[in-house]
Amino acid sequence: MSLLSATVQDACVPNTATRLRSVDSYRATIHALVADLPIERLPVADCLGLVLAEDVTAPIALPPFDNSAMDGYAVRSVDVVGASEENPVELPVSEDIPAGRTDVVPLLPGTAHRIMTGAPVPPGADSVVQVELTDSGVQQVRIFSPVNVGTHLRRTGEDVREGDTVLTKGTVLAPPQLGFLAALGLSHLPVRRRPRVLILSTGTELVQPGTPLVAGQIYESNSVHLAAAVQEIGGVAHVLRSVPDDVNALYEALKPHLDDHDLLITTGGVSAGAYEVVKDALAGEGVEFLKVAVQPGGPQGFGTYMGLPVVTLPGNPVSAALSFELFVRPALLRAMGRPDTDRARVRAKASSEMKSPAGRKQYRRGFYDAGSVQAVPVGGPGSHLLMAFAQANCLIEIPEDVTVVAEGADVELLMLTR
């Protein structure tokens, strides 16, 4: 079942206006397109990268019982007062307590229990002498040092008390959080489920990597990039590769998948020329096509097709990648409940002059050198320069009202790596 925000259900109609939409306005439009994902209770082991949909309270205390922080001997501290290497205290060892033992016998005065790390401390003991301060005896133990009350004891609830709120709604679940919740005995967690994204790459000229090229053909890469980008944020991607420039073929490719995805992303077929198959197929079917004041990536589209939210991206690889970064990625993260929908921003100095078209927000691929606090442009502004994107660790944002960025000028960066 697809998800569509109610705020856009009535707005997805064709529009032939040529006015450019601002980056911020279009970003808000795509945010509104994808609704919050439903809450599911999933096994803890399946929740990596997902977001808690509810606060979590501790069903037990941690530690759940008093236990030993060391291998050694559980004792009463009064029984080892004055112990030293010259005058050791010798005590009979009446019990062995390995980790996992549940039938713990109380400690009698004037005796010791040999105890392992993590094992329950017997009633009557108030401290543990670590084994290095003893002769490691089994029947009798010689103790060479006194201990204070509480030495090497982990008290019940010292970390977490039963009923405490331990993680709050909106927490992103990384390995530390998952391990912690498993330690509390939680088997399932309430989370926003993973977005299911259908990716459709159009173009008769596209062939799959590994296939020999003939004149006029290129290798299809958009679906690889976009599927990886969806998976990177915790989504599930289903790819329909290289659908030819034929409206009926596009309809047939989509038909089996309309009810089991949350978003359709298409690439290609959205410009103003002939053979724009996505525009031909979806205009008038609930999808609006427009121009955004951005370079690269101006031709865009959004709406619904048969109830499925749709974002149509340009076909040039850098335009498609940039469009996902600016518009789709943050919308999916928001739908997942993530608090951190935006890339980190950094201020830096431009290492060289850059030119940008008036009225468009330009994003240049760049490399941020933290040592010199410089942004070094990588490649030119062209939407076909894939190697530059692969070598970049940031995007250099040039505002709409700036046509020339002087060498040494302040620029703002969107960091592609964290």
mmCIF file of all heavy atoms in Angstrom, residues 116-150:
data_model
loop_
_atom_site.group_PDB
_atom_site.id
_atom_site.type_symbol
_atom_site.label_atom_id
_atom_site.label_comp_id
_atom_site.label_asym_id
_atom_site.label_seq_id
_atom_site.Cartn_x
_atom_site.Cartn_y
_atom_site.Cartn_z
ATOM 1 N N MET A 116 33.021 -15.579 40.267
ATOM 2 C CA MET A 116 33.495 -15.164 38.950
ATOM 3 C C MET A 116 32.803 -13.851 38.548
ATOM 4 O O MET A 116 31.732 -13.500 39.042
ATOM 5 C CB MET A 116 33.202 -16.243 37.902
ATOM 6 C CG MET A 116 33.828 -17.591 38.215
ATOM 7 S SD MET A 116 35.622 -17.530 38.382
ATOM 8 C CE MET A 116 35.841 -18.225 40.012
ATOM 9 N N THR A 117 33.430 -13.156 37.596
ATOM 10 C CA THR A 117 32.871 -11.894 37.101
ATOM 11 C C THR A 117 31.453 -12.102 36.561
ATOM 12 O O THR A 117 31.204 -13.004 35.767
ATOM 13 C CB THR A 117 33.756 -11.313 35.993
ATOM 14 O OG1 THR A 117 35.073 -11.104 36.504
ATOM 15 C CG2 THR A 117 33.198 -9.990 35.487
ATOM 16 N N GLY A 118 30.525 -11.264 37.008
ATOM 17 C CA GLY A 118 29.138 -11.347 36.564
ATOM 18 C C GLY A 118 28.282 -12.284 37.374
ATOM 19 O O GLY A 118 27.058 -12.302 37.188
ATOM 20 N N ALA A 119 28.871 -13.059 38.275
ATOM 21 C CA ALA A 119 28.098 -13.993 39.088
ATOM 22 C C ALA A 119 27.371 -13.248 40.206
ATOM 23 O O ALA A 119 27.836 -12.204 40.680
ATOM 24 C CB ALA A 119 29.012 -15.060 39.668
ATOM 25 N N PRO A 120 26.213 -13.764 40.665
ATOM 26 C CA PRO A 120 25.474 -13.087 41.738
ATOM 27 C C PRO A 120 26.233 -13.113 43.056
ATOM 28 O O PRO A 120 26.790 -14.140 43.451
ATOM 29 C CB PRO A 120 24.166 -13.877 41.815
ATOM 30 C CG PRO A 120 24.452 -15.196 41.197
ATOM 31 C CD PRO A 120 25.509 -14.953 40.160
ATOM 32 N N VAL A 121 26.242 -11.967 43.732
ATOM 33 C CA VAL A 121 26.898 -11.859 45.032
ATOM 34 C C VAL A 121 26.006 -12.510 46.079
ATOM 35 O O VAL A 121 24.807 -12.219 46.142
ATOM 36 C CB VAL A 121 27.167 -10.380 45.377
ATOM 37 C CG1 VAL A 121 27.720 -10.256 46.791
ATOM 38 C CG2 VAL A 121 28.120 -9.770 44.368
ATOM 39 N N PRO A 122 26.550 -13.388 46.908
ATOM 40 C CA PRO A 122 25.703 -14.080 47.885
ATOM 41 C C PRO A 122 25.221 -13.135 48.984
ATOM 42 O O PRO A 122 25.934 -12.184 49.353
ATOM 43 C CB PRO A 122 26.637 -15.157 48.451
ATOM 44 C CG PRO A 122 28.013 -14.587 48.285
ATOM 45 C CD PRO A 122 27.955 -13.820 46.992
ATOM 46 N N PRO A 123 24.008 -13.347 49.477
ATOM 47 C CA PRO A 123 23.559 -12.569 50.636
ATOM 48 C C PRO A 123 24.565 -12.703 51.777
ATOM 49 O O PRO A 123 25.104 -13.778 52.023
ATOM 50 C CB PRO A 123 22.217 -13.217 50.998
ATOM 51 C CG PRO A 123 21.758 -13.875 49.733
ATOM 52 C CD PRO A 123 23.006 -14.324 49.035
ATOM 53 N N GLY A 124 24.831 -11.610 52.436
ATOM 54 C CA GLY A 124 25.805 -11.602 53.530
ATOM 55 C C GLY A 124 27.149 -11.040 53.135
ATOM 56 O O GLY A 124 27.882 -10.521 53.987
ATOM 57 N N ALA A 125 27.514 -11.125 51.835
ATOM 58 C CA ALA A 125 28.783 -10.555 51.374
ATOM 59 C C ALA A 125 28.593 -9.074 51.090
ATOM 60 O O ALA A 125 27.544 -8.651 50.596
ATOM 61 C CB ALA A 125 29.260 -11.272 50.124
ATOM 62 N N ASP A 126 29.610 -8.274 51.395
ATOM 63 C CA ASP A 126 29.530 -6.838 51.107
ATOM 64 C C ASP A 126 30.676 -6.340 50.250
ATOM 65 O O ASP A 126 30.799 -5.152 49.985
ATOM 66 C CB ASP A 126 29.449 -6.022 52.398
ATOM 67 C CG ASP A 126 30.693 -6.157 53.288
ATOM 68 O OD1 ASP A 126 31.754 -6.619 52.801
ATOM 69 O OD2 ASP A 126 30.600 -5.782 54.468
ATOM 70 N N SER A 127 31.536 -7.251 49.773
ATOM 71 C CA SER A 127 32.654 -6.854 48.920
ATOM 72 C C SER A 127 33.252 -8.090 48.277
ATOM 73 O O SER A 127 32.942 -9.227 48.654
ATOM 74 C CB SER A 127 33.733 -6.124 49.739
ATOM 75 O OG SER A 127 34.141 -6.904 50.849
ATOM 76 N N VAL A 128 34.101 -7.834 47.274
ATOM 77 C CA VAL A 128 34.813 -8.909 46.579
ATOM 78 C C VAL A 128 36.295 -8.580 46.588
ATOM 79 O O VAL A 128 36.698 -7.456 46.235
ATOM 80 C CB VAL A 128 34.309 -9.073 45.136
ATOM 81 C CG1 VAL A 128 35.197 -10.047 44.348
ATOM 82 C CG2 VAL A 128 32.874 -9.563 45.120
ATOM 83 N N VAL A 129 37.102 -9.539 46.976
ATOM 84 C CA VAL A 129 38.561 -9.418 46.901
ATOM 85 C C VAL A 129 38.987 -9.997 45.567
ATOM 86 O O VAL A 129 38.721 -11.171 45.285
ATOM 87 C CB VAL A 129 39.252 -10.172 48.050
ATOM 88 C CG1 VAL A 129 40.773 -10.012 47.941
ATOM 89 C CG2 VAL A 129 38.757 -9.687 49.403
ATOM 90 N N GLN A 130 39.652 -9.196 44.735
ATOM 91 C CA GLN A 130 40.047 -9.712 43.435
ATOM 92 C C GLN A 130 41.093 -10.796 43.595
ATOM 93 O O GLN A 130 41.914 -10.787 44.528
ATOM 94 C CB GLN A 130 40.543 -8.593 42.534
ATOM 95 C CG GLN A 130 41.815 -7.916 42.961
ATOM 96 C CD GLN A 130 42.083 -6.664 42.137
ATOM 97 O OE1 GLN A 130 41.464 -5.626 42.363
ATOM 98 N NE2 GLN A 130 43.011 -6.766 41.200
ATOM 99 N N VAL A 131 41.077 -11.740 42.666
ATOM 100 C CA VAL A 131 41.889 -12.946 42.805
ATOM 101 C C VAL A 131 43.371 -12.624 42.873
ATOM 102 O O VAL A 131 44.151 -13.352 43.505
ATOM 103 C CB VAL A 131 41.576 -13.921 41.652
ATOM 104 C CG1 VAL A 131 42.054 -13.373 40.315
ATOM 105 C CG2 VAL A 131 42.171 -15.294 41.920
ATOM 106 N N GLU A 132 43.794 -11.512 42.261
ATOM 107 C CA GLU A 132 45.215 -11.150 42.270
ATOM 108 C C GLU A 132 45.722 -10.802 43.665
ATOM 109 O O GLU A 132 46.941 -10.776 43.900
ATOM 110 C CB GLU A 132 45.456 -9.974 41.327
ATOM 111 C CG GLU A 132 45.302 -10.285 39.839
ATOM 112 C CD GLU A 132 43.865 -10.214 39.369
ATOM 113 O OE1 GLU A 132 42.961 -9.977 40.213
ATOM 114 O OE2 GLU A 132 43.624 -10.407 38.154
ATOM 115 N N LEU A 133 44.810 -10.544 44.598
ATOM 116 C CA LEU A 133 45.211 -10.209 45.975
ATOM 117 C C LEU A 133 45.064 -11.404 46.907
ATOM 118 O O LEU A 133 44.977 -11.250 48.126
ATOM 119 C CB LEU A 133 44.369 -9.032 46.494
ATOM 120 C CG LEU A 133 44.510 -7.721 45.712
ATOM 121 C CD1 LEU A 133 43.592 -6.658 46.279
ATOM 122 C CD2 LEU A 133 45.954 -7.240 45.721
ATOM 123 N N THR A 134 45.058 -12.607 46.311
ATOM 124 C CA THR A 134 44.925 -13.842 47.080
ATOM 125 C C THR A 134 45.905 -14.883 46.544
ATOM 126 O O THR A 134 46.607 -14.639 45.560
ATOM 127 C CB THR A 134 43.493 -14.413 46.969
ATOM 128 O OG1 THR A 134 43.321 -14.971 45.660
ATOM 129 C CG2 THR A 134 42.449 -13.322 47.194
ATOM 130 N N ASP A 135 45.895 -16.035 47.187
ATOM 131 C CA ASP A 135 46.711 -17.148 46.675
ATOM 132 C C ASP A 135 45.908 -18.080 45.772
ATOM 133 O O ASP A 135 46.380 -19.162 45.432
ATOM 134 C CB ASP A 135 47.338 -17.924 47.835
ATOM 135 C CG ASP A 135 46.300 -18.688 48.662
ATOM 136 O OD1 ASP A 135 45.075 -18.482 48.431
ATOM 137 O OD2 ASP A 135 46.693 -19.468 49.546
ATOM 138 N N SER A 136 44.679 -17.675 45.411
ATOM 139 C CA SER A 136 43.805 -18.437 44.512
ATOM 140 C C SER A 136 43.410 -19.787 45.083
ATOM 141 O O SER A 136 43.135 -20.735 44.344
ATOM 142 C CB SER A 136 44.459 -18.631 43.133
ATOM 143 O OG SER A 136 44.826 -17.400 42.566
ATOM 144 N N GLY A 137 43.341 -19.905 46.380
ATOM 145 C CA GLY A 137 42.999 -21.175 46.997
ATOM 146 C C GLY A 137 41.589 -21.625 46.665
ATOM 147 O O GLY A 137 40.700 -20.821 46.406
ATOM 148 N N VAL A 138 41.399 -22.961 46.707
ATOM 149 C CA VAL A 138 40.104 -23.550 46.385
ATOM 150 C C VAL A 138 39.372 -24.005 47.649
ATOM 151 O O VAL A 138 38.179 -23.730 47.821
ATOM 152 C CB VAL A 138 40.281 -24.734 45.417
ATOM 153 C CG1 VAL A 138 38.939 -25.416 45.154
ATOM 154 C CG2 VAL A 138 40.907 -24.269 44.111
ATOM 155 N N GLN A 139 40.076 -24.667 48.550
ATOM 156 C CA GLN A 139 39.484 -25.098 49.814
ATOM 157 C C GLN A 139 39.645 -24.029 50.895
ATOM 158 O O GLN A 139 38.728 -23.774 51.676
ATOM 159 C CB GLN A 139 40.140 -26.418 50.284
ATOM 160 C CG GLN A 139 40.032 -27.558 49.292
ATOM 161 C CD GLN A 139 38.602 -27.962 49.023
ATOM 162 O OE1 GLN A 139 37.752 -27.916 49.926
ATOM 163 N NE2 GLN A 139 38.303 -28.349 47.779
ATOM 164 N N GLN A 140 40.830 -23.466 50.947
ATOM 165 C CA GLN A 140 41.151 -22.350 51.834
ATOM 166 C C GLN A 140 41.779 -21.261 50.981
ATOM 167 O O GLN A 140 42.485 -21.556 50.017
ATOM 168 C CB GLN A 140 42.154 -22.789 52.921
ATOM 169 C CG GLN A 140 41.670 -23.885 53.855
ATOM 170 C CD GLN A 140 40.814 -23.315 54.975
ATOM 171 O OE1 GLN A 140 41.006 -22.175 55.383
ATOM 172 N NE2 GLN A 140 39.866 -24.096 55.470
ATOM 173 N N VAL A 141 41.546 -19.999 51.312
ATOM 174 C CA VAL A 141 42.136 -18.907 50.553
ATOM 175 C C VAL A 141 42.872 -17.982 51.505
ATOM 176 O O VAL A 141 42.383 -17.650 52.595
ATOM 177 C CB VAL A 141 41.077 -18.130 49.746
ATOM 178 C CG1 VAL A 141 40.029 -17.490 50.642
ATOM 179 C CG2 VAL A 141 41.733 -17.075 48.868
ATOM 180 N N ARG A 142 44.041 -17.585 51.102
ATOM 181 C CA ARG A 142 44.826 -16.606 51.855
ATOM 182 C C ARG A 142 44.646 -15.254 51.163
ATOM 183 O O ARG A 142 44.902 -15.110 49.967
ATOM 184 C CB ARG A 142 46.284 -17.011 51.914
ATOM 185 C CG ARG A 142 46.496 -18.368 52.568
ATOM 186 C CD ARG A 142 47.941 -18.815 52.445
ATOM 187 N NE ARG A 142 48.808 -18.052 53.336
ATOM 188 C CZ ARG A 142 50.106 -17.851 53.140
ATOM 189 N NH1 ARG A 142 50.682 -18.309 52.025
ATOM 190 N NH2 ARG A 142 50.827 -17.170 54.012
ATOM 191 N N ILE A 143 44.223 -14.266 51.928
ATOM 192 C CA ILE A 143 43.901 -12.937 51.401
ATOM 193 C C ILE A 143 44.940 -11.958 51.909
ATOM 194 O O ILE A 143 45.210 -11.888 53.125
ATOM 195 C CB ILE A 143 42.479 -12.518 51.818
ATOM 196 C CG1 ILE A 143 41.467 -13.484 51.188
ATOM 197 C CG2 ILE A 143 42.181 -11.072 51.412
ATOM 198 C CD1 ILE A 143 40.042 -13.287 51.658
ATOM 199 N N PHE A 144 45.533 -11.177 50.974
ATOM 200 C CA PHE A 144 46.678 -10.335 51.288
ATOM 201 C C PHE A 144 46.353 -8.842 51.388
ATOM 202 O O PHE A 144 47.263 -8.027 51.496
ATOM 203 C CB PHE A 144 47.763 -10.526 50.218
ATOM 204 C CG PHE A 144 48.212 -11.956 50.055
ATOM 205 C CD1 PHE A 144 48.104 -12.597 48.838
ATOM 206 C CD2 PHE A 144 48.714 -12.669 51.138
ATOM 207 C CE1 PHE A 144 48.507 -13.914 48.681
ATOM 208 C CE2 PHE A 144 49.140 -13.986 50.992
ATOM 209 C CZ PHE A 144 49.030 -14.610 49.762
ATOM 210 N N SER A 145 45.075 -8.499 51.343
ATOM 211 C CA SER A 145 44.731 -7.074 51.392
ATOM 212 C C SER A 145 43.323 -6.903 51.941
ATOM 213 O O SER A 145 42.434 -7.714 51.633
ATOM 214 C CB SER A 145 44.803 -6.455 49.991
ATOM 215 O OG SER A 145 44.378 -5.103 50.011
ATOM 216 N N PRO A 146 43.090 -5.870 52.756
ATOM 217 C CA PRO A 146 41.724 -5.577 53.190
ATOM 218 C C PRO A 146 40.918 -4.955 52.039
ATOM 219 O O PRO A 146 41.482 -4.515 51.036
ATOM 220 C CB PRO A 146 41.928 -4.570 54.320
ATOM 221 C CG PRO A 146 43.189 -3.862 53.956
ATOM 222 C CD PRO A 146 44.064 -4.891 53.280
ATOM 223 N N VAL A 147 39.612 -4.919 52.191
ATOM 224 C CA VAL A 147 38.740 -4.271 51.198
ATOM 225 C C VAL A 147 37.703 -3.444 51.931
ATOM 226 O O VAL A 147 37.322 -3.753 53.067
ATOM 227 C CB VAL A 147 38.039 -5.299 50.285
ATOM 228 C CG1 VAL A 147 39.006 -5.944 49.321
ATOM 229 C CG2 VAL A 147 37.298 -6.353 51.096
ATOM 230 N N ASN A 148 37.254 -2.408 51.270
ATOM 231 C CA ASN A 148 36.173 -1.594 51.801
ATOM 232 C C ASN A 148 34.829 -2.169 51.390
ATOM 233 O O ASN A 148 34.714 -2.908 50.405
ATOM 234 C CB ASN A 148 36.276 -0.157 51.288
ATOM 235 C CG ASN A 148 37.536 0.536 51.766
ATOM 236 O OD1 ASN A 148 37.948 0.363 52.925
ATOM 237 N ND2 ASN A 148 38.154 1.316 50.890
ATOM 238 N N VAL A 149 33.809 -1.797 52.137
ATOM 239 C CA VAL A 149 32.447 -2.211 51.794
ATOM 240 C C VAL A 149 32.114 -1.722 50.376
ATOM 241 O O VAL A 149 32.359 -0.573 50.027
ATOM 242 C CB VAL A 149 31.429 -1.639 52.800
ATOM 243 C CG1 VAL A 149 30.002 -1.924 52.342
ATOM 244 C CG2 VAL A 149 31.661 -2.224 54.185
ATOM 245 N N GLY A 150 31.586 -2.625 49.555
ATOM 246 C CA GLY A 150 31.179 -2.275 48.188
ATOM 247 C C GLY A 150 32.254 -2.467 47.141
ATOM 248 O O GLY A 150 31.979 -2.256 45.943
#
